[in-house]
Amino acid sequence: MRTDSGIKNVVKFRLTGTPDGNLLVSFYHLNIASQEAVNWHIAEQLVEGRLMAEVLYEGNLQNNTAYSAAIYRLLERVEVYVNCVRIERVK
């Protein structure tokens, strides 16, 4: 199954000084409705080698438990519709 939906409304923030080091938080809108479709999108990225060990979480905002308080504070600053988040360690 391919989603072919494309990612829209990408908004990125950097979090510093977390227990995991510096993080890049990317919010985006994936034009799909179900969590299963989000999982397929993530599986496609894994197969294509675009997800690495440095990714702490990627998927639906509602399922995120990594740094949830900080993520929702950042989300208040996002002015476009988003339904997914990617949290990754950066140097």
Side-chain angles (χ1 to χ4, degrees), residues 6-37:
I7 294 175
K8 301 175 185 173
N9 299 340
V10 177
V11 180
K12 296 183 179 191
F13 295 95
R14 181 180 283 267
L15 286 178
T16 58
T18 72
D20 289 311
N22 295 332
L23 303 178
L24 179 64
V25 178
S26 304
F27 295 102
Y28 59 93
H29 174 225
L30 194 57
N31 194 21
I32 48 182
S34 72
Q35 180 61 40
E36 181 181 352

Side-chain angles (χ1 to χ4, degrees), residues 51-64:
L51 284 185
M52 298 162 282
E54 299 300 312
V55 176
L56 301 176
Y57 175 80
E58 180 162 13
N60 193 294
L61 272 167
Q62 295 173 345
N63 296 334
N64 175 47

